[in-house]
């Protein structure tokens, strides 16, 4: 298929609804509001306290606006294998995959809320493939941006909000390509995702380059914090200093990631939340057999030269 033919076919998808509207399994309800607020740590009494809510302009309990899309999601079904042809959005992604654009990256999501939802409201979502961009060359590879727009309506068909979601479907720039029959070549794939350096974290990465694991410490209340950020979450002071960690730590918790496999990591990937000896926590890759790791395991810092110009602070089990 030529690029012209490919792009002409893409144009056929634009402007069309992806399928039938989705009506939420349950109406807006108080138990779900409370569970969501629990998970998000949101204690605003307009979501929790009917007596308080009565005194506000709402007159009764309301749902957090950011739950909007949640009211129309399909639950556990979304995580199960689906061998149906799917809706038009799935068919579009399949078409991209078949033509080599098999990588996907969510790029942005904008939501608008027209009104607060209350228990009893029934939410319906209607999604349209709003636009497919021209071909773009990006840092991750060449591809196309797909914009979908979902309009949410209530039981009276009144609009209650919208969501614009954009993804990039692309050909990964550094995917190894076969050079001839029976021979393959490995491109120089990066070993890690590079940090974005800015005013608030560059000092920390400079420490790492000098093989020092630094921990930010509030100059006012002396509480340690990581990752680096400008303000102390305890006392809101902007004054800070840093101390160097000894590198001794204990596994507080861990996960062994098998899926999804995201380059450039190796799998299964052991990722731990570590209690540093100094009293703050640090998330890091633990270099060990996934079968070996356990909560309470003693680990120690090791600086790994993952690439010529990149050192990372990782952890390994303490021997003996
Ligand atoms: Zn402080």
């Amino acid at each position: 298929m030529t690029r012209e033919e490919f792009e002409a076919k893409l144009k056929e998808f634009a402007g069309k609804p992806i399928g039938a509207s989705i009506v939420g399994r349950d109406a807006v309800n108080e138990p779900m509001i409370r569970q969501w607020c629990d998970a998000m740590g949101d204690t605003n009494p307009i979501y929790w306290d009917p007596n308080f809510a009565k005194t506000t302009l709402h007159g009764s309990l309301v749902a957090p606006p950011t739950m909007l899309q949640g009211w129309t999601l399909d639950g556990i079904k979304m995580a199960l294998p689906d061998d149906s042809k799917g809706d038009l959005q799935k068919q579009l992604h399949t078409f991209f995959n078949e033509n080599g654009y098999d990588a996907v990256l969510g790029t942005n999501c904008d939501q608008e809320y027209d009104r607060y939802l209350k228990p009893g409201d029934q939410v319906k979502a209607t999604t349209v493939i709003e636009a497919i961009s021209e071909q773009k060359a990006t840092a991750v590879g060449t591809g196309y941006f797909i914009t979908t727009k979902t309009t949410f309506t209530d039981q009276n068909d009144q609009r209650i909000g919208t969501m614009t979601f954009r993804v990039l479907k692309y050909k990964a720039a550094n995917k190894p390509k076969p050079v001839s029959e029976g021979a393959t070549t490995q491109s120089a794939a990066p070993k890690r995702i590079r940090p974005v350096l800015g005013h608030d974290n560059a000092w920390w990465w400079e420490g790492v380059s000098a093989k020092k694991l630094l921990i930010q410490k509030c100059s006012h209340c002396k509480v340690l914090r990581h990752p680096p950020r400008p303000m102390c979450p305890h006392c809101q002071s902007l004054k800070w200093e840093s101390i160097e960690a000894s590198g001794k730590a204990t596994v507080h918790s861990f996960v062994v990631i098998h899926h999804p496999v995201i380059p450039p990591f190796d799998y299964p990937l052991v990722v731990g939340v570590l209690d540093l000896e100094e009293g703050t926590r640090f998330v890091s890759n633990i270099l060990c057999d996934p079968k070996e790791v356990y909560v309470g395991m003693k680990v120690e810092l090791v600086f790994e030269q993952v690439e010529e110009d990149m050192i990372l602070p990782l952890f390994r089990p303490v021997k003996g």
Side-chain angles (χ1 to χ4, degrees):
M1 193 180 296
T2 66
R3 181 168 156 189
E4 285 70 30
E5 287 165 342
F6 177 68
E7 292 184 350
K9 184 95 176 116
L10 285 183
K11 282 210 172 73
E12 292 173 20
F13 286 89
K16 290 187 179 151
I18 64 167
S21 299
I22 294 169
V23 178
R25 301 201 287 191
D26 296 295
V28 175
N29 63 83
E30 291 180 31
M32 284 304 291
I33 294 172
R34 283 192 285 272
Q35 287 191 23
W36 190 92
C37 287
D38 264 343
M40 302 301 284
D42 195 328
T43 56
N44 189 332
I46 62 169
Y47 309 136
W48 284 94
D49 182 347
N51 292 325
F52 176 85
K54 250 183 237 168
T55 68
T56 67
L57 59 88
H58 304 299
S60 62
L61 285 180
V62 292
T66 46
M67 288 184 76
L68 183 60
Q69 187 195 14
W71 298 114
T72 60
L73 293 180
D74 251 348
I76 195 72
K77 193 172 125 192
M78 298 172 70
L80 301 176
D82 173 17
D83 42 17
S84 74
K85 246 181 95 195
D87 58 33
L88 196 67
Q89 183 170 218
K90 272 198 190 135
Q91 291 167 27
L92 173 60
H93 280 253
T94 304
F95 179 62
F96 269 116
N97 295 344
E98 287 167 354
N99 286 275
Y101 297 89
D102 54 356
V104 66
L105 196 64
T107 56
N108 53 304
C109 177
D110 296 300
Q111 297 192 347
E112 274 180 37
Y113 314 112
D114 297 327
R115 71 165 174 91
Y116 275 90
L117 296 179
K118 291 189 171 184
D121 276 328
Q122 184 70 60
V123 182
K124 185 164 85 174
T126 308
T127 302
V128 172
I129 297 170
E130 195 174 57
I132 299 164
S133 73
E134 301 292 306
Q135 192 181 84
K136 305 277 184 191
T138 76
V140 292
T142 299
Y144 297 80
F145 288 94
I146 308 170
T147 306
T148 50
K149 183 164 185 176
T150 303
T151 303
F152 298 91
T153 50
D154 65 12
Q155 58 280 12
N156 303 313
D157 285 327
Q158 295 297 303
R159 201 184 88 154
I160 50 184
T162 62
M163 176 173 74
T164 303
F165 204 99
R166 189 170 291 124
V167 299
L168 173 68
K169 278 297 278 180
Y170 65 102
K171 286 182 181 172
N174 50 27
K175 201 162 47 172
K177 285 191 189 76
V179 283
S180 65
E181 281 287 309
T184 56
T185 179
Q186 292 291 324
S187 66
K191 299 286 194 297
R192 282 294 190 277
I193 297 162
R194 301 215 160 233
V196 177
L197 297 184
H199 177 74
D200 296 324
N201 69 346
W203 65 273
W204 189 84
W205 285 99
E206 281 160 19
V208 168
S209 299
K211 299 198 173 179
K212 287 180 180 170
L213 179 61
L214 299 177
I215 313 170
Q216 209 172 12
K217 179 181 180 182
C218 174
S219 300
H220 182 71
C221 75
K222 310 298 179 195
V223 169
L224 302 175
R225 63 181 189 262
H226 187 84
R229 49 198 184 276
M231 184 181 281
C232 173
H234 290 270
C235 75
Q236 283 72 52
S237 170
L238 293 167
K239 292 208 163 59
W240 59 268
E241 55 212 71
S242 68
I243 59 166
E244 186 179 345
S246 68
K248 292 188 180 124
T250 309
V251 175
H252 179 83
S253 181
F254 68 90
V255 288
V256 178
I257 304 170
H258 296 267
H259 189 81
V261 174
I262 300 167
F265 297 103
D266 294 323
Y267 293 83
L269 179 66
V270 185
V271 179
V273 178
L274 310 175
D275 286 317
L276 298 184
E277 183 180 59
E278 288 74 16
T280 192
R281 287 188 183 143
F282 188 79
V283 174
S284 178
N285 183 193
I286 305 172
L287 304 168
C288 70
D289 186 323
K291 290 191 200 89
E292 279 176 31
V293 63
Y294 61 94
V295 168
M297 183 169 79
K298 300 280 177 216
V299 290
E300 64 187 7
L301 175 65
V302 49
F303 284 98
E304 286 268 310
Q305 187 88 38
V306 292
E307 289 205 61
E308 204 174 313
D309 59 345
M310 191 183 199
I311 296 176
L312 283 181
L314 305 179
F315 282 79
R316 67 180 174 205
V318 174
K319 288 194 187 87

